[in-house]
Amino acid sequence: STRERTFETVRMLRDKGIETAPHLACVGSTRDDLREILGLYWEQGIHRIVALRGDLPSGIGLGAAGELRYANELVAFVRQETGDHFHIEVAAYPEVHPQAANADRDLENFKRKVEAGADAAITQYFYNADAYFAFRDRCSRLGIRIPIVPGIMPITNYTQLARFSDACGAEIPRWVRKRLEAFGDDLEGIRAFGHEVVLNLCRRLLDGDAPGLHFYTMNQSKPSLRLWQELGLGN
């Protein structure tokens, strides 16, 4: 909601010696705003950023979209201003961005971000491994060679997950949705079943040579840490 909180968090993590990759969104920002933010991150020793179009900050109307409207423009701007200082990661959508006209247009938009200078991509979360593998294959046929890291969302709250998924276009497979609905208010049952679904998804992705996993923790570390440990990733 506010950039100052992001800056404070980045400073805190860097002070603790933790490698940090802050998100940088272009919507609602001028080039001067972005130039200032990049300078702050450079001074703090940050070398990774996640470049996104982003949503409008709280209190800003649609008419204040900023000077850069799309993520590919932001990636190009970062490269123009900072050269190769930053490792830039961008978003990818195996199940198609909800605002894209169709799958082909969505893939064209992704390719523009890569051609602008992106080093890697992180996907929207999904629960169908075949969607990721098909997307990766389509990218390969277009000559897109950057690592595409699958986004993983642990299942802990079905109502919240369904709301998020409907908004961002992430599909919950019908059989998973029906099983989750059947648990009703049984949160322990939802979490146990959800853990097995996501654990099996992670295993299949890693077995299929995914370059890593990106966990969306939603401010709950324990479900992601449990997955991390059971996958043996901390060894």
Side-chain angles (χ1 to χ4, degrees):
S1 58
T2 64
R3 286 177 177 153
E4 190 54 40
R5 291 180 181 178
T6 299
F7 298 148
E8 290 172 1
T9 303
V10 170
R11 283 193 291 268
M12 178 191 72
L13 292 170
R14 287 298 301 169
D15 288 347
K16 293 179 178 292
I18 299 171
E19 184 178 359
T20 307
H23 290 188
L24 180 67
C26 61
V27 168
S29 298
T30 66
R31 287 180 172 82
D32 286 342
D33 292 334
L34 296 167
R35 192 174 290 115
E36 180 181 359
I37 294 169
L38 290 170
L40 287 171
Y41 289 152
W42 187 308
E43 292 172 2
Q44 291 176 8
I46 300 297
H47 289 277
R48 291 178 59 192
I49 59 171
V50 181
L52 306 168
R53 185 193 68 175
D55 300 316
L56 285 171
S58 300
I60 295 182
L62 293 175
E67 295 179 4
L68 304 179
R69 302 291 296 271
Y70 301 104
N72 66 290
E73 296 175 350
L74 175 59
V75 174
F77 178 78
V78 174
R79 286 289 178 236
Q80 175 186 328
E81 294 292 318
T82 66
D84 293 330
H85 177 81
F86 291 104
H87 176 94
I88 303 175
E89 292 162 292
V90 294
Y93 295 84
E95 295 175 324
V96 185
H97 191 286
Q99 296 176 356
N102 54 55
D104 288 340
R105 290 288 296 276
D106 192 41
L107 191 57
E108 290 169 6
N109 290 337
F110 178 59
K111 187 178 182 182
R112 277 193 280 272
K113 291 188 282 190
V114 176
E115 291 174 341
D119 295 296
I122 301 167
T123 77
Q124 176 61 275
Y125 70 87
F126 57 88
Y127 298 103
N128 183 347
D130 288 333
Y132 169 80
F133 293 131
F135 178 76
R136 189 177 65 180
D137 289 346
R138 293 185 70 210
C139 288
S140 180
R141 288 194 292 271
L142 283 179
I144 298 172
R145 305 297 183 211
I146 66 171
I148 301 173
V149 179
I152 304 298
M153 175 79 88
I155 298 174
T156 59
N157 182 313
Y158 173 62
T159 301
Q160 183 185 59
L161 178 66
R163 185 173 67 251
F164 285 166
S165 299
D166 291 342
C168 71
E171 178 187 1
I172 304 174
R174 187 174 185 275
W175 72 274
V176 174
R177 188 182 285 266
K178 290 300 182 183
R179 287 288 305 277
L180 290 169
E181 289 173 351
F183 285 105
D185 295 329
D186 180 5
L187 292 180
E188 289 188 9
I190 289 173
R191 289 167 182 164
F193 172 71
H195 175 75
E196 290 304 314
V197 168
V198 176
L199 181 63
N200 290 331
L201 171 66
C202 291
R203 285 173 173 159
R204 189 174 173 201
L205 291 167
L206 293 173
D207 288 344
D209 294 326
L213 300 171
H214 177 89
F215 291 96
Y216 294 102
T217 65
M218 303 303 292
N219 295 327
Q220 298 184 59
S221 62
K222 290 183 179 179
S224 294
L225 288 171
R226 183 182 174 194
L227 289 165
W228 178 267
Q229 290 163 356
E230 293 191 22
L231 290 166
L233 298 176
N235 297 334

